[in-house]
Amino acid sequence: MVKMLGTVILLSVVLLLNACEDSTPVGSDPSTQTPIASQAPFQTSTVAASSDVLIRSKLQSLSFGQQNSRGGYVFLDWKKEDVPKEPFNIVYYLEDVNVNATFTELSQAERLRLTNQIRIEGNVEWKIDEGSNFPNNVRIQFIKPSTSFVLHLGDLPAMTFIQKEPLNMTFTSNAERNIPHLLLWANEYAPRLLVTNEENSVNLTFSEEMRLNLPTTIEGAPIAARWMDNKHLYIQLEHMRESEHGIKELTLRLDSLMAQSGNRFGQEKRSLVIQQMPKYEWRYANSGELVEGGPRERFYDQILLSNDKQSYIGIIRLGGSLGDGDGTSYSFILEQQGKDPVVIEDVFYSTIEPDQMPIQWMDSRTLMYASYFGVYAYDIEKAEKRVLHDNRSNEEHNFNYASYDKTTKLLHLLAYENRNESGQLELLTYTPGNLTPQITKNFTMTVPIAKYSDLDMTISPTPEGIYWTRIREGIPYTEFVGNSGDRAITEGITRLVSEQGAYLEQYQKTDNRLQALKWKFWKPGESAKAIEKPPEGSYTFVSGSDLFSFQESAYNKFDRTLNKWVAWRAPNGEKNAEPIRGKDGLYRSRIE
């Protein structure tokens, strides 16, 4: 059942109006039940009660949802007693909006009488969802409204629907000093505000004038906060919890906050984690020399320095995959001396990490990062993101790996020929300025390494040539192809390439999966040499030109001369120090 454009009456039943009066829709806060007036976009008419009206008497709940092609959700859900007695606004921001009314047990005749009392003012396409399996529900859908409109539903107050951008907020720095901070809209990983641990309060500024409700903790407990005016909220940082990494944090619920217009935060901004970040010093592992990272360096889990050392990317690890995947989600922030930070990605789900970094510099102004969904470049001078290759619409051609060769200026991508059929991979090679890649079919294939996870077929460029991971009889091996065309192969997958040679991890095949077997060191043209395995149960990673393992808060570094793992010590003897993943070879130490 679909209705179009104008004031429409379902089933041709005309409701008599006793009078036409001007009324101004107002917002409603179900927690206080005190409507606050707001200007209506047009005049509405009041529907007179009649003997047929049974909306409020039979009503159990009233909810409002919104959706677009990517999905939808319920953003407001009232019990009968929460529904305002005066006209109110409903603010939404996605393409479509709907109303769902739940009633006590309805007969067919009562349902017909209910739907007869629906009246719409405004130019909007709408329909009643007749496909519901719940006979006591009436769901009205409004499809891509282009203007505001009013819904009259029996003896309920008029509901004015207004589409606008969702409520927003920013951090307000102290007027007397520039407080280091970082506000990230990290979506499903929880939006977060990072401040230094010297700060004992924060000020938030809202994009609209607010009703003066206060947020609570995620458990619903009150917090130490007050409104300075109707747009500025002062929060005292008390009763902070200590996270597993020793960071103090406070998680707030924002879904109780509402603007005077009726606007609310979007689904991805209904909570806020405030974190007090301890102070760190960043240093080069080889020399112990201090890295000048700027006022926000303590916020980052990894730092990636540009080639000219004039910029760096701060990387925040948000968490692992929330589904059946093997990737990790990060935030990428561009830092340049004397400038405000630029959030390149609030959330980026990375599955491709050359040199164990989720993002890499192509040159001093261009960044490249990738996942199996696509490959992207970012120009720091233009503040512009460019899609090099995007597979979101056709995931059978997802990427397995990507790496940029700074020596030859070539970008190499390994893409599935059809991941629904096999692990066969083709090689796409991009030359500078050319948007059409050279394609090598059947270049290699990949094999399962774990449930829902294929082996990353690493590509490791060096000034002398490239170490390629290939598959033979289901087992990975490495092929080195020198710039002069010379070739060499050995078993195992490249984990680290240093000036002296490559560290490789060997696997054996068991039950159609790969199992780690041993490690070795290899220089192309020479025989591979077995090296001591990392400590059992440890996590192995690369930092600079060294191989590290981590287990129970202890770091070990592989000493090639001794052919053994030895306890790592910070060059300057700092306590609370940790080596950081990535080719820059950095470590950081916590300053108490």
Side-chain angles (χ1 to χ4, degrees):
M1 181 188 303
V2 178
K3 298 295 181 182
M4 294 286 295
L5 306 181
T7 301
V8 184
I9 304 174
L10 261 167
L11 304 178
S12 301
V13 176
V14 178
L15 297 178
L16 298 178
L17 303 181
N18 289 342
C20 292
E21 299 178 359
D22 291 346
S23 63
T24 303
V26 297
S28 173
D29 185 345
S31 66
T32 63
Q33 289 295 290
T34 304
I36 298 179
S38 63
Q39 183 64 42
F42 43 76
Q43 303 298 325
T44 65
S45 300
T46 303
V47 179
S50 77
S51 59
D52 280 343
V53 167
L54 51 104
I55 299 291
R56 192 178 285 274
S57 65
K58 300 280 288 187
L59 186 69
Q60 286 189 329
S61 65
L62 189 67
S63 63
F64 302 86
Q66 57 184 327
Q67 66 182 37
N68 58 18
S69 59
R70 300 179 65 179
Y73 63 94
V74 173
F75 62 92
L76 194 57
D77 192 6
W78 285 334
K79 295 180 181 178
K80 175 180 179 178
E81 55 270 21
D82 296 330
V83 178
K85 304 268 190 311
E86 301 292 333
F88 57 91
N89 290 345
I90 293 295
V91 178
Y92 67 100
Y93 64 90
L94 297 183
E95 290 179 357
D96 302 335
V97 65
N98 62 73
V99 182
N100 189 73
T102 304
F103 299 92
T104 53
E105 188 172 351
L106 293 177
S107 66
Q108 280 295 104
E110 286 177 323
R111 183 180 175 86
L112 181 60
R113 287 168 58 197
L114 286 173
T115 57
N116 284 349
Q117 297 174 64
I118 298 173
R119 189 164 61 85
I120 312 297
E121 293 183 15
N123 295 333
V124 59
E125 178 183 345
W126 63 281
K127 67 179 181 179
I128 295 178
D129 184 1
E130 301 287 7
S132 173
N133 294 323
F134 303 99
N136 298 324
N137 283 21
V138 174
R139 186 171 185 265
I140 311 169
Q141 295 177 271
F142 300 95
I143 303 163
K144 295 181 176 58
S146 57
T147 62
S148 299
F149 61 93
V150 180
L151 167 64
H152 296 281
L153 187 57
D155 58 346
L156 297 183
M159 311 171 205
T160 300
F161 288 76
I162 305 169
Q163 187 180 44
K164 62 191 307 183
E165 290 297 315
L167 189 63
N168 199 6
M169 68 179 177
T170 58
F171 174 86
T172 306
S173 191
N174 191 306
E176 299 175 356
R177 57 194 177 96
N178 186 20
I179 299 173
H181 69 278
L182 196 61
L183 183 58
L184 297 172
W185 299 115
N187 298 339
E188 63 270 26
Y189 293 91
R192 60 195 66 191
L193 171 61
L194 284 63
V195 296
T196 65
N197 61 356
E198 294 88 4
E199 299 302 320
N200 55 23
S201 65
V202 297
N203 293 326
L204 301 178
T205 299
F206 293 81
S207 57
E208 297 187 32
E209 294 186 348
M210 302 291 293
R211 303 183 186 186
L212 304 185
N213 293 0
L214 290 174
T216 66
T217 67
I218 197 67
E219 298 83 7
I223 63 169
R226 60 183 173 85
W227 287 95
M228 302 171 67
D229 55 45
N230 57 14
K231 291 189 74 172
H232 297 88
L233 179 64
Y234 171 85
I235 299 174
Q236 193 77 23
L237 298 183
E238 298 179 353
H239 310 298
M240 308 283 282
R241 289 186 173 183
E242 189 166 298
S243 72
E244 59 179 334
H245 303 294
I247 298 171
K248 293 182 178 179
E249 60 185 34
L250 175 67
T251 304
L252 304 180
R253 289 185 59 178
L254 303 180
D255 52 0
S256 63
L257 300 184
M258 184 189 294
Q260 292 185 16
S261 66
N263 201 5
R264 295 173 177 266
F265 288 104
Q267 179 77 353
E268 72 280 2
K269 297 181 182 179
R270 293 198 163 192
S271 66
L272 178 68
V273 180
I274 302 175
Q275 296 180 317
Q276 291 176 310
M277 305 300 290
K279 185 176 181 180
Y280 288 95
E281 285 185 343
W282 289 77
R283 295 181 181 272
Y284 293 98
N286 289 337
S287 65
E289 181 184 352
L290 194 66
V291 177
E292 295 294 338
R296 288 170 295 276
E297 63 182 5
R298 68 173 71 186
F299 298 158
Y300 303 123
D301 298 310
Q302 289 177 279
I303 283 178
L304 178 61
L305 300 165
S306 64
N307 301 341
D308 60 7
K309 303 295 189 292
Q310 298 302 303
S311 310
Y312 76 85
I313 299 300
I315 301 169
I316 296 175
R317 187 187 189 279
L318 300 173
S321 171
L322 298 178
D324 295 330
D326 60 350
T328 302
S329 289
Y330 299 92
S331 296
F332 301 147
I333 297 91
L334 171 65
E335 293 279 6
Q336 296 174 289
Q337 188 172 5
K339 297 182 179 181
D340 291 334
V342 177
V343 179
I344 297 174
E345 298 282 356
D346 279 290
V347 180
F348 183 78
Y349 179 57
S350 173
T351 58
I352 296 171
E353 302 193 1
D355 301 321
Q356 298 197 350
M357 298 292 288
I359 185 170
Q360 62 181 139
W361 290 97
M362 298 174 74
D363 54 47
S364 291
R365 61 173 281 177
T366 311
L367 293 150
M368 187 275 283
Y369 51 99
S371 76
Y372 51 60
F373 292 126
V375 183
Y376 313 94
Y378 185 87
D379 188 312
I380 68 170
E381 293 181 2
K382 296 180 179 179
E384 180 179 274
K385 176 182 176 181
R386 184 161 49 96
V387 178
L388 299 180
H389 206 115
D390 197 343
N391 281 337
R392 286 186 178 273
S393 60
N394 196 0
E395 292 188 20
E396 63 259 30
H397 301 298
N398 281 350
F399 292 107
N400 176 271
Y401 209 77
S403 188
Y404 180 71
D405 188 340
K406 294 181 180 180
T407 302
T408 61
K409 308 294 192 251
L410 298 177
L411 174 62
H412 300 290
L413 313 178
L414 287 173
Y416 289 88
E417 294 186 3
N418 189 327
R419 69 191 295 258
N420 297 325
E421 297 179 356
S422 72
Q424 195 68 43
L425 301 174
E426 61 186 13
L427 175 65
L428 284 67
T429 301
Y430 287 84
T431 57
N434 191 347
L435 298 179
T436 302
Q438 175 185 335
I439 300 177
T440 305
K441 291 285 188 181
N442 301 320
F443 180 79
T444 187
M445 64 179 303
T446 185
V447 291
I449 188 68
K451 189 176 182 179
Y452 306 118
S453 179
D454 288 340
L455 183 68
D456 294 332
M457 304 300 289
T458 60
I459 306 169
S460 303
T462 72
E464 293 75 33
I466 299 180
Y467 293 79
W468 300 89
T469 298
R470 312 292 287 268
I471 295 291
R472 181 170 53 196
E473 297 181 355
I475 302 294
Y477 72 94
T478 291
E479 179 180 28
F480 174 78
V481 181
N483 295 333
S484 59
D486 52 311
R487 294 173 179 265
I489 63 172
T490 190
E491 292 184 353
I493 182 172
T494 304
R495 295 303 188 195
L496 166 65
V497 179
S498 67
E499 291 182 359
Q500 292 75 33
Y503 294 87
L504 299 98
E505 187 175 13
Q506 285 186 250
Y507 287 86
Q508 63 182 357
K509 196 173 182 180
T510 60
D511 299 329
N512 297 321
R513 295 189 184 278
L514 295 179
Q515 181 179 358
L517 181 63
K518 57 185 178 180
W519 286 74
K520 65 182 183 180
F521 179 82
W522 179 58
K523 188 171 184 178
E526 300 180 3
S527 298
K529 299 177 181 178
I531 64 175
E532 184 181 31
K533 292 176 63 175
E536 192 69 30
S538 64
Y539 162 69
T540 306
F541 65 97
V542 171
S543 181
S545 57
D546 290 308
L547 200 60
F548 284 83
S549 67
F550 174 73
Q551 186 179 39
E552 297 180 356
S553 302
Y555 291 94
N556 290 292
K557 184 175 78 169
F558 182 74
D559 188 315
R560 196 166 65 87
T561 303
L562 300 175
N563 192 24
K564 64 183 298 185
W565 293 86
V566 298
W568 176 77
R569 297 287 183 269
N572 296 328
E574 299 98 331
K575 296 181 179 180
N576 301 318
E578 56 181 325
I580 302 299
R581 292 194 325 158
K583 286 300 291 289
D584 283 336
L586 305 178
Y587 73 95
R588 67 176 183 176
S589 56
R590 183 166 175 170
I591 308 300
E592 300 294 341

